[in-house]
Amino acid sequence: MTLPTDLDNDADALRAAMVKSIAAAGAGAGVPMHPAWLAAADKVPRHAFVPGFYLPADAPDARGLTVWEPVTSRLDYGRWLAASYSDTTLITQFDGEETDWERPAVRHGGAPTSSSTLPSLVLRMWSDADVCEGHTVLEIGTGTGYSTALACERLGSSHVTSVEVDAVRLEGAADALYGCGYTPTLARADGSYGYWPEAWFDRIVAACSFRSVPPALLRQTRPGGKVLLPLSGWLYGNARVLLTVAEDGTAEGPLLPGTVSFMSARTHAAPAYGNPADWAAGLHEERPRAALHAPERLTAATEEAFHLRFLAQSAVPDAQLVTIDGVPHLVDVNSGSAATLTPEGEDWSVREGGPVKLWARIERFIECYDAAGRPGPETFTLRVDGDGPWLLHPRIPRLLLSAA
């Protein structure tokens, strides 16, 4: 299929509408977007960075798996262009496998491993990082290159470095960026180690989440510079932190409000845990006890549960949570510990095995959290010093973040 000759006009109109909508939503929520980033978004052609992507079908398949439909200009020009300028995350890769976009197939299930993040969140990340003209920036996670293009549009390509661990992703992003006239420094690299050839940076912004703060990023930031990082553990609780780096190399900054999640950096992703039924079978001989807190404290679709799940990860840093047929299982492949929660009417019982009593640790933390008045993320400070990255709160014992 040949693209319509009025593609640019169609894209311009849709892009202007998207930017207007993002600006209105931010103002309505009391977190207005920086006008310079909105101006950049009004110029960068997002469709050039997403020639193909997947959208979920309206209903799952017979096995309950999400059906992912491929979308390209060749398959459906209108749907492709409209989605490109919707404030939506567009999945571009599953399970680290590349798609042949000339002959894409419908997918059933799978773990997304690359995407074009929804534009409002990309703009929010750049805005929250307090980036100004003249700053040099390192972006971790080039992805499709759309976010990189926004930085180039605002700062100039010579001020932007972006690294990506996936060689194929980087090649596609480079083609799109150069095709649009942007020429940042691009490199295939593990973002955990930053990019020394271009250091020091005024700002470092990550588009993927880390279990902890990579020390190399602090060492590559100028004193007084800032690092904006999404943080996530293996319970998939998420937070964002804005760190200011001091002369002595320590860093400190607040957790930012809101419920935002990013894909994990490849080297920080959770390990495969095997069959949860096997772990549960090993707990049959363990004596059950009444659970002090229901698993919904962590799993409910609320901002508080999202935040509490992030904090609770510090109590059980190697644990993963999986729910099968309504039964939650905690699995720690490092220590060999496991826990299974079983509904008992309106209450829950728990069986725990192994050297670490996983649910008991979480319960003790929940007790501290409740006693402190259930404080929100913006009341916590993250400090990174020689003893490690610590989450600090005046009414809760300090928490050591997971080691990567």
Side-chain angles (χ1 to χ4, degrees), residues 383-396:
R383 177 171 175 78
V384 186
D385 55 29
D387 295 326
W390 296 97
L391 270 175
L392 306 176
H393 191 277
R395 297 191 301 277
I396 295 178

Side-chain angles (χ1 to χ4, degrees), residues 281-295:
L283 299 176
H284 287 166
E285 301 302 319
E286 301 292 334
R287 184 173 181 176
R289 65 171 177 83
L292 300 181
H293 295 280

Side-chain angles (χ1 to χ4, degrees), residues 154 199 365:
R154 168 89 189 271
F365 176 76

Side-chain angles (χ1 to χ4, degrees), residues 26-94:
V31 283
M33 205 72 70
H34 195 292
W37 289 115
L38 291 171
D42 200 34
K43 295 179 180 178
V44 175
R46 190 189 186 204
H47 69 272
F49 297 88
V50 285
F53 49 84
Y54 288 95
L55 292 176
D58 293 335
D61 66 13
R63 295 176 295 167
L65 298 174
T66 300
V67 178
W68 294 97
E69 299 173 341
V71 181
T72 68
S73 60
R74 186 187 301 270
L75 292 172
D76 188 332
Y77 169 78
R79 188 185 189 195
W80 166 73
L81 194 60
S84 296
Y85 290 104
S86 63
D87 192 26
T88 305
T89 293
L90 305 175
I91 306 300
T92 55
Q93 185 192 72
F94 285 91

Side-chain angles (χ1 to χ4, degrees), residues 334-361:
N334 187 40
S335 69
S337 304
T340 293
L341 289 109
T342 305
E344 302 282 353
E346 295 184 358
D347 299 317
W348 290 80
S349 66
V350 58
R351 282 185 169 90
E352 298 175 286
V356 180
K357 303 307 178 187
L358 299 173
W359 193 247
R361 284 194 177 185

Side-chain angles (χ1 to χ4, degrees), residues 124-131 203-205 226 228 242:
R124 173 56 54 203
M125 290 289 287
W126 285 123
S127 293
D128 286 346
D130 191 25
V131 178
R203 298 290 186 271
I204 296 180
V205 177
K226 298 182 180 182
L228 180 61
L242 181 61

Side-chain angles (χ1 to χ4, degrees), residues 213 231 239-241 243 250-256 307 310-311 314 365 368-369 372 375-401:
V213 180
L231 298 170
R240 292 184 305 148
V241 64
L243 296 167
T250 62
E252 189 169 315
L255 296 189
L256 301 180
H307 170 53
F310 169 74
L311 298 175
S314 298
F365 176 76
C368 291
Y369 174 76
E378 63 279 0
T379 66
F380 287 82
T381 297
L382 181 65
R383 177 171 175 78
V384 186
D385 55 29
D387 295 326
W390 296 97
L391 270 175
L392 306 176
H393 191 277
R395 297 191 301 277
I396 295 178
R398 65 179 186 169
L399 302 170
L400 179 65
L401 278 189

Side-chain angles (χ1 to χ4, degrees), residues 97-168:
E97 301 171 356
E98 291 302 323
T99 297
D100 179 359
W101 291 111
E102 292 299 316
R103 292 176 292 278
V106 172
R107 294 188 62 104
H108 293 254
T113 48
S114 190
S115 67
S116 177
T117 303
L118 66 160
S120 62
L121 178 52
V122 175
L123 294 173
R124 173 56 54 203
M125 290 289 287
W126 285 123
S127 293
D128 286 346
D130 191 25
V131 178
C132 299
E133 280 74 8
H135 280 165
T136 56
V137 303
L138 170 64
E139 177 191 42
I140 298 172
T142 313
T144 64
Y146 175 68
S147 175
T148 319
L150 291 171
C152 291
E153 183 66 43
R154 168 89 189 271
L155 303 173
S157 296
S158 63
H159 286 64
V160 179
T161 299
S162 185
V163 296
E164 168 64 50
V165 73
D166 187 315
V168 177

